[in-house]
Amino acid sequence: MNPIMNQDPAAPSSTPAPAPPPRAAAKPVALSVRDLRAGYAGGAAVLKGVSLDISERRVTAIIGPSGCGKSTLIRCLNRLHEALPGAFCDGQIMLGGRSVLDWDPVLLRREVGMVFQRPNPFPTMNIFDNVAAGLTLNGERDRAKIAERVESSLRRAALWDEVKDKLKSPGTGLSGGQQQRLCIARALAVEPRVLLMDEPCSALDPVATARIEELLLEIKETLTVVIVTHNMQQAARVSEYTAFMLSGELVEFGPTQGLFTKPADKRTEDYVTGRFG
Amino acid sequence: MNSSYARRRRVNALMLALTALCAAVSASVLLGILGYIAWRGASSLSWAFLTRLPAPVGETGGGIANAIVGSAKVVGTAALLGIPVGVASGLYLAEYGRRGRFGFLVRYAADVMNGVPSIVIGLFAYALVVMPMKRFSALSGSVALALIMIPVVLRSTEDFVGQVPGTIREAALALGVPRWKAVAFVVLPTARRGILTASLLALSRAAGETAPLIFTSFGSPYWDQGLLNPIATLPQTLYNYAISPYEDWHRQAWAAALVLMLFVLAVNASARLWLRPPQGSSS
Amino acid sequence: MGCAAPVIPPPTGRGRARVPGPRERAGDAFFRRALAVAASLILLVALALAWQLASASRQTWTSLGPAFLWRTGWNPVDDSFGALPFLYGTAVTSALAMLIALPLGVGSAIFLTELAPRRAAQALSFAVELLAAVPSVILGLMGVFLLVPAVRAVEPPLSRALGFLPLFRGAPYGVGLLSAGLILAVMILPYITAISREVLLTVPRPLKEGMHALGATRWEVVRGVCLPYARTGIAGAAFLALGRALGETMAVTMVIGNAPTISASLFSPAYTMSAVIANELAEAAGDAHLSALIAVGLTLFALTVVINGLARLLIYRLENRS
C-alpha cells in the first residue's frame, strides 16, 4: 500500500560503507549507521562519528549519561533532528539498503516512527482521532480501514481494553502511562518498520513503566525498536543489544548481556557499575 | 526611633489608602458609565426602536434597525477580510519567522499599525477605496475596520501558536505528516481557543469604532443597499444623534449607546472569561 | 524555468543529496509562501499608508512647506491652512490626560498587585479591562450630556480660586480643553492600569521579601523595590497610553468645542488633529482643504509612530531583560 514498501530492499547502495561496524549483529540489519556526525545551531558536533548496525526485530537500547548524544542519535534516524533550525547532520544512515538522506523525510518517518520522552497526545483530538491521526492527516478516507487500524494499534499498545468505551473522550484525559501507550498506538497505526523511543518511561511511575516494558516485548515480534534510556536496568530488561555512548562517541556496542556482565571497555564498566563520574 | 516608626506607619497607611482611592475611582468610573447608560438608555429602548427605520428629520420616533444591520454587515465583512489575514500572518511569524529580517519587519509593522489612531486608518481607507471609487461605501468601512483588526489578531495568533509545545509539532512530524499539515491541522487547532478569543476581542473593538467610519461607510437613513453604497452603522448613528440639536434624537442616542455597549461588553467579557484555560491544559 | 531536459539527480556522495517526494515538498513550499504573502500584507499596508497620506497631502506640503505645522490660521473658505491650533489642542489635552491618568493608573495598579485580596484584584482588573472596551463614542456621549455641564458648573468657582493663573481664566463654556483632557484621562486610564499591573506582577518575590525582612513597611517596599524595578515598563505603558491619547478621536471631538484657536485657558474651546479630520473630511470644501486635512493626518501618523516606537523600544528592552 505504501510505494516505499515495494522497493527492493536489497538494492545496492550508491556508496560502500566507509568502515566495518564495531561489532556486526547476527540478525539482518534494519538500520546501519556510519560515521554519523550531528550538532545544533552554532555549536560543536554533539555526535562525533558514530557507527552501528541495528538488528531487525530486536530491541536495541542506547544508554549513556545525559548529554552524550543518545537522543540526537535517534532523532537523526527519522530526520527529525534536522527539523530544528540550524541543526546539522552528516554521515550515512541506511534503511533497507537505501540512504535515509535520499528519502523524503516525510515518507521516511512513516517507516521510522517515534515515541517521545513526555506523552504528547494531540490536545484537540479524542482518543480515536489521536490514534488515527497519522492516517487521516495523510489523506486516508476509508473509515472502516481507519477503525480497524485504530483498534489493532490500541490492542498492540495494550490500551484497547481500557479505552474501548471512551474512544470519543479527549486523549489528554488519560493517565500519564495511558497517554504514553496512546502515543505508542498512534505511532504503530502508521505501521512503521522501526520504532524509536526517546526515554519513553522517564515521566512515568514504576507500574506504568512495567506495562510499557511488557508491551515492548510483544511489539518487537513485528518491528525493530531503538530505545534511548537513562535507566540501565530497563536496558537490561528489554533489549537484546545495547550501545553505550559517551560524549558523542559510541564506546561499546554488543549483546546486552555481554555489555553488562563483561564490558570490554573500562569506561563502560565504570558506567554500568555505577562508578561513573 | 519610636516616633520615626510611628511616622513611617502613618506614611504607609496614607499612601496605601491613596492607592486604594485610585482603584476605587477607576472602578467607579466604569460602574458609573455602565449604570448611567443603562438608566438613560433603558427608558428609550423599545421593540419598535430596534426594528424600525429612522424617522425623517423633524419627526419623532423611528428606530435604528438599519444601523444594527449595517454594523453587523460592516463588522462581519471586516472580520471576513481581517481575521484570515491576521491568523495567516501570525502563523507565519510563529512557524517560519521567529528570526530573520522579514519576520522582524512584519512584527514591527504590526506593532506600528496597532498604535496608529483609528482615524488615520480611516483616512487611509478613504484614500485607498473612497477616492478611487468616488463614493462612500460599506466596503471602505469594512476595509478600515479590517486594518484595525489585523494587527491584534496577528500578534495574538503569533503568541498562542508560539505557546504550543514543540513536542506536539514533533509528534505530528514523526508520524510522517508533511510539515504544512502538521502546522495547519495539529498546531493551529491546538491554539484555536486563544486565536478565537483574540478575534472576538478584535471584533468587539471594531464594532465600537466610529472615527474611521465617518468618511468611509458614511451613514444612511435607509436599509443597506449593498457593499458599494453608503451604509448606516450603530456607532456612527449614535454619534450623529448625539451631536444633533434634537431632543428626541438625544433620547435615541442613549438607547443606541445601550445597545452598542451591551453588544461590545458581552462579546468582550465572554471572550475574556472563556480564555481562562481549564486547569492543566498548558505544560 | 523552461528547462526541458530530464532532471538528473545529483550524485549521492556520502548520501547527502536529497530527493524530495514531489507532493509533500511542493505542499510545504506552497503553504509557507501563502502565509508569507499574508504576512507581507501588513508590511505593505504600513508602507502604503505612509505613502498614500504623503502623496494625498502633497499639495499642502508643496505650497506651504513645513510652515504648515506652525501657521495658525485655519479657514477653508479662503484656502488658509495652518496646523498649529490642532497640534496645540492635541498636545494640551494629551498632557492633561496623562497628568490625571498616570498617577491614578499606577496607584490603582499598586493597589491591585500589592494590597487587594486576590479575588478583589481579579474582579477589579476585569472591570478595568472592560472599561478599556467601552467605545469612545459612548464616552463622548457621556461627555456631552454629563461631563460638559459639570465642567461648566465647576469652572466659575475654579476661576475664582485659581484665576491668578491664566490656565483657569475665561468664560465657562463647558466644552473645551479641560473637558477633553478629562475624558481622555478616562480613556487611557485602563491602559495604564492594566500594563502597570502586568509589569508590577513581574517584580520578583525575593526582592520584596528581602526588603520586608529588613522591617520596611509595605509602602516602603513599593517605593524602594517595586517602582524602581517596574520603572521601564511603566514608562512603556505611559508612552503607549500617550499614543492612544494623541490619536483618540470621537470622545474628544464631541467635547472640545471644535474651534481652531490657541488660548492659554483650559476653559476655552479648542480643536485637535483627529477631531478636525473627523469633522471636516467628509465635507471637504475642495482639493486644498482635503490635502490639508490629510496633511494633518500624516502629521498625526508620524507622531504616533514615533511615540509608539519609543514605547516598543522600552517594552522590547523589558522583554529581553526577563
Side-chain angles (χ1 to χ4, degrees), chain C residues 254-270:
Chain C
M254 292 164 85
V255 301
I256 198 166
N258 298 333
T261 55
I262 295 179
S263 158
S265 169
L266 290 182
F267 298 171
S268 73

Side-chain angles (χ1 to χ4, degrees), chain C residues 198-269:
Chain C
E198 272 168 36
V199 178
L200 284 171
L201 283 174
T202 65
V203 177
R205 185 181 278 277
L207 278 185
K208 290 193 262 180
E209 283 170 349
M211 188 96 176
H212 274 298
L214 294 175
T217 62
R218 273 189 174 192
W219 170 249
E220 283 163 345
V221 173
V222 168
R223 242 193 70 160
V225 175
C226 300
L227 288 181
Y229 187 91
R231 203 170 44 199
T232 316
I234 292 176
F239 274 111
L240 278 185
L242 181 60
R244 287 216 99 86
L246 293 174
E248 181 42 55
T249 310
M250 296 322 295
V252 174
T253 308
M254 292 164 85
V255 301
I256 198 166
N258 298 333
T261 55
I262 295 179
S263 158
S265 169
L266 290 182
F267 298 171
S268 73

Side-chain angles (χ1 to χ4, degrees), chain A residues 75 106 109-110 120 124 137-138, chain B residues 167 170-171 173-174 176 181 189:
Chain A
R75 288 169 61 88
V106 168
R109 290 174 196 141
R110 294 182 200 165
N120 53 0
T124 53
L137 286 175
N138 282 319
Chain B
T167 56
E170 289 196 331
L173 290 179
K181 281 189 177 174

Side-chain angles (χ1 to χ4, degrees), chain C residues 13-289:
Chain C
R14 287 174 67 80
R16 290 221 63 155
R18 293 169 186 178
V19 184
R23 198 162 52 86
E24 274 74 13
R25 272 316 189 61
D28 279 351
F30 177 79
F31 185 67
R32 184 172 49 75
R33 291 206 188 102
L35 293 186
V37 167
S40 57
L41 208 67
I42 189 82
L43 205 58
L44 287 178
V45 164
L47 294 175
L49 200 158
W51 185 82
Q52 277 273 15
L53 295 187
S55 74
S57 61
R58 189 177 301 137
Q59 190 184 344
T60 304
W61 300 116
T62 48
S63 66
L64 294 174
F68 171 70
L69 295 178
W70 55 79
R71 280 167 50 108
T72 52
W74 181 270
N75 192 345
V77 181
D78 47 323
D79 274 2
S80 151
F81 301 106
L84 191 61
F86 312 123
L87 283 163
Y88 176 78
T90 298
V92 172
T93 50
S94 302
L96 195 58
M98 293 296 288
L99 220 59
I100 299 166
L102 197 57
L104 263 179
V106 176
S108 309
I110 292 172
F111 178 76
L112 291 176
T113 48
E114 303 298 324
L115 273 175
R118 232 169 62 92
R119 282 268 171 104
Q122 273 177 352
L124 279 172
S125 309
F126 192 71
V128 166
E129 280 166 6
L130 283 191
L131 182 58
V134 174
S136 87
V137 69
I138 291 186
L139 288 174
L141 183 70
M142 303 279 297
V144 170
F145 294 104
L146 212 63
L147 182 66
V148 168
V151 167
R152 197 181 295 134
V154 167
E155 276 170 349
L158 210 59
S159 169
R160 276 195 295 279
L162 297 166
F164 56 90
L165 292 171
L167 279 179
F168 301 102
R169 263 178 230 159
Y173 289 102
V175 292
L177 292 168
L178 183 58
S179 295
L182 284 171
I183 212 148
L184 271 183
V186 172
M187 303 219 58
I188 61 176
L189 178 60
Y191 289 97
I192 297 179
T193 310
I195 305 177
S196 304
R197 175 172 169 263
E198 272 168 36
V199 178
L200 284 171
L201 283 174
T202 65
V203 177
R205 185 181 278 277
L207 278 185
K208 290 193 262 180
E209 283 170 349
M211 188 96 176
H212 274 298
L214 294 175
T217 62
R218 273 189 174 192
W219 170 249
E220 283 163 345
V221 173
V222 168
R223 242 193 70 160
V225 175
C226 300
L227 288 181
Y229 187 91
R231 203 170 44 199
T232 316
I234 292 176
F239 274 111
L240 278 185
L242 181 60
R244 287 216 99 86
L246 293 174
E248 181 42 55
T249 310
M250 296 322 295
V252 174
T253 308
M254 292 164 85
V255 301
I256 198 166
N258 298 333
T261 55
I262 295 179
S263 158
S265 169
L266 290 182
F267 298 171
S268 73
Y271 226 151
T272 66
M273 293 194 268
S274 52
V276 72
I277 300 171
N279 275 330
E280 298 186 4
L281 192 89
E283 289 128 26
D287 284 352
H289 189 194

Side-chain angles (χ1 to χ4, degrees), chain A residues 75 80 85 106 109-110 114 116 120-124 134 137-138 186-187 190, chain B residues 99 167-168 170-179 181 185-186 189-190 192:
Chain A
R75 288 169 61 88
L80 204 53
V106 168
R109 290 174 196 141
R110 294 182 200 165
M114 190 164 196
F116 296 81
N120 53 0
F122 298 134
T124 53
L137 286 175
N138 282 319
R186 181 175 67 185
V190 188
Chain B
R99 54 192 105 197
T167 56
I168 296 293
E170 289 196 331
L173 290 179
L175 290 175
V177 172
R179 177 153 184 206
K181 281 189 177 174
F185 299 126
V186 176
T190 306
R192 69 187 166 190

